[in-house]
């Protein structure tokens, strides 16, 4: 009788162990990311800020020689050290006067008065 009970216990434990290994895994980290079913890419146009059709709000690059004029203020986003030109002679630009700085923005060179941030000259 002891052998029969041991055999039954071992076969039940083997049955439970194999069914646990065959069970599907429900780990949310392993599932691929899917967007919400109600989201449609065409709906994203609703959330864009289209209050102005001005060229400043488009996602294209700025062309200073076409978009800006002398006397205008340089936008703050371009008043940054990464746009500053350091070697005037290497770029064959005219020397900047006191309180003036050359900036290179999308291939154009813009001379700016540092005191009032007004554009003095644009070269392309």
């Amino acid at each position: 009788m002891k052998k029969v009970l041991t055999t039954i216990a071992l076969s039940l434990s083997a049955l439970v162990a194999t069914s646990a290994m065959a069970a599907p895994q429900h780990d949310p980290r392993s599932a691929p990311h899917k967007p919400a079913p109600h989201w449609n890419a065409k709906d994203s146009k609703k959330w864009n800020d289209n209050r102005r059709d001005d060229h400043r709000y488009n996602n294209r690059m700025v062309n200073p020689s076409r978009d800006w004029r002398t006397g205008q203020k340089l936008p703050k986003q371009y008043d940054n050290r990464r746009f500053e030109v350091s070697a005037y002679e290497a770029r064959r630009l005219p020397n900047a006067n006191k309180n003036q700085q050359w900036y290179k923005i999308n291939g154009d060179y813009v001379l700016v008065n540092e005191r009032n941030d007004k554009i003095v000259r644009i070269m392309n």
Side-chain angles (χ1 to χ4, degrees), residues 2 4 14 19 24 30 33 40 46 48 50 64 68 75 87-88 105:
K2 187 175 179 183
V4 173
S19 65
S30 65
H33 175 69
N40 187 354
K46 295 178 189 174
N48 290 340
N50 290 330
W68 298 340
Y88 303 129
I105 302 169

Side-chain angles (χ1 to χ4, degrees), residues 58-116:
N58 292 338
N59 289 332
R60 67 173 181 80
M61 289 179 31
V62 172
N63 184 358
S65 59
R66 188 180 74 205
D67 297 335
W68 298 340
R69 301 285 176 253
T70 57
Q72 287 180 335
K73 282 191 121 181
L74 181 73
K76 289 190 182 275
Q77 63 191 16
Y78 298 109
D79 189 11
N80 193 331
R81 293 202 52 90
R82 72 180 182 148
F83 293 107
E84 287 183 7
V85 176
S86 59
Y88 303 129
E89 295 81 20
R91 305 208 194 291
R92 298 183 182 158
L93 293 173
N95 289 334
N97 294 337
K98 185 178 179 182
N99 298 322
Q100 291 182 346
Q101 175 66 43
W102 281 104
Y103 292 91
K104 183 175 182 183
I105 302 169
N106 297 335
D108 289 340
Y109 296 99
V110 180
L111 182 62
V112 176
N113 185 343
E114 291 291 312
R115 287 189 176 181
N116 57 10

Side-chain angles (χ1 to χ4, degrees), residues 1 12 17 21 29 31 35 49 54 61 67 73 75 77 92:
M1 185 72 178
L12 284 176
M21 287 190 293
R29 294 173 291 167
D49 188 9
D54 199 57
M61 289 179 31
D67 297 335
K73 282 191 121 181
Q77 63 191 16
R92 298 183 182 158

Side-chain angles (χ1 to χ4, degrees), residues 39-56:
W39 177 255
N40 187 354
K42 293 176 184 174
D43 293 338
S44 66
K45 292 179 183 175
K46 295 178 189 174
W47 302 104
N48 290 340
D49 188 9
N50 290 330
R51 63 182 172 204
R52 298 176 97 190
D53 289 329
D54 199 57
H55 64 272
R56 290 175 287 177

